[in-house]
Amino acid sequence: MCSPSQDIILLFDVDGTLTAPRKAIEPKMAEFMASVRSNATCGIVGGSDLAKIAEQLGGMEETLKYPFVFAENGLVAYHHGQLKAKQSIEAHMGEKALQQFINFSLDYMAKLELPAKRGTFVEFRSGLINLCPVGRSCSQELRDQFAVYDKEHKVREKFVAALREKFPDLGLTFSIGGQISIDAFPTGWDKTYCLQFIEKDFKSIHFFGDKTSPGGNDYEIFSDPRTIGHTVSSPADTRLQVSQLLQL
């Protein structure tokens, strides 16, 4: 087994890239990623917190086998399992503005008529606020149902437009990610935030993600001049593109 190259680092989104949305990584994909880690330095950059990322990647021990794990877009950064940096949206925005934003979002979602609604419409994380019109406690069936409904009725797209109109001066960016939710975070706190921790140590940074179009939560890092972006359509496509890049 050869040592990983220090010339390049491969960064991976989770949902739609290494796993199906919100599902656990398939054994075949986990085995492939183990071989990738032996050939190149790898990192994870996800919008979810570390616990949720670990749920999908086979547990905390397996997740921390990646030298770099950037949870919440890198606002919570780990290197070889050690916490290196953590940002706080609460401290950044202040309680008054934070509550105004949350109250408006809850009121907006309360008025939506959807095929179904469940619980946890606002999830507060260290570096972002996750807004979910259908509710994050929905089943996979309802998640899939909402995704189809949203594609036709642009529920999240209209929600983002309302947030931008209501809060033009908060300095927030809104990103539609996954199947069911919106991430709201201070401008600049997108996935490009993680690049500061690695840009000086590698000659090239390759990023693999599925939401790379404008408005998607991979767009900023995909299009950043510091990265070489790769758009993937599924874990199988990720496997194909990485194999071609590393000649595995």
Side-chain angles (χ1 to χ4, degrees), residues 101-114 116-125 129-138 142 146 155-156 159 163 180-184:
F101 179 81
I102 291 172
N103 289 344
F104 175 84
S105 299
L106 286 169
D107 183 62
Y108 183 95
M109 288 187 283
K111 294 173 181 174
L112 290 175
E113 294 288 340
L114 303 174
K117 280 186 179 179
R118 293 300 178 261
T120 314
F121 302 100
V122 175
E123 186 173 87
F124 189 85
R125 302 177 188 169
I129 300 169
N130 183 266
L131 306 171
C132 184
V134 68
R136 294 196 67 86
S137 59
C138 65
L142 293 180
F146 175 80
V155 176
R156 291 183 292 173
F159 191 3
L163 289 165
I180 60 174
S181 63
I182 299 162
D183 288 337

Side-chain angles (χ1 to χ4, degrees), residues 149-196:
Y149 184 85
D150 183 50
K151 190 172 183 179
E152 179 181 353
H153 297 279
K154 311 293 183 188
V155 176
R156 291 183 292 173
E157 195 174 304
K158 293 174 183 175
F159 191 3
V160 166
L163 289 165
R164 285 180 176 145
E165 182 179 358
K166 178 67 177 178
F167 301 105
D169 301 321
L170 279 187
L172 294 177
T173 292
F174 305 99
S175 180
I176 296 172
Q179 290 182 296
I180 60 174
S181 63
I182 299 162
D183 288 337
F185 47 84
T187 299
W189 287 19
D190 52 59
K191 288 185 177 179
T192 61
Y193 192 88
C194 77
L195 297 178
Q196 65 185 289

Side-chain angles (χ1 to χ4, degrees), residues 33 51 70 73 97 112 131 145 151 199 230:
M33 290 307 299
F70 299 116
N73 294 347
L112 290 175
L131 306 171
Q145 179 190 61
K151 190 172 183 179
E199 60 182 323
H230 304 263

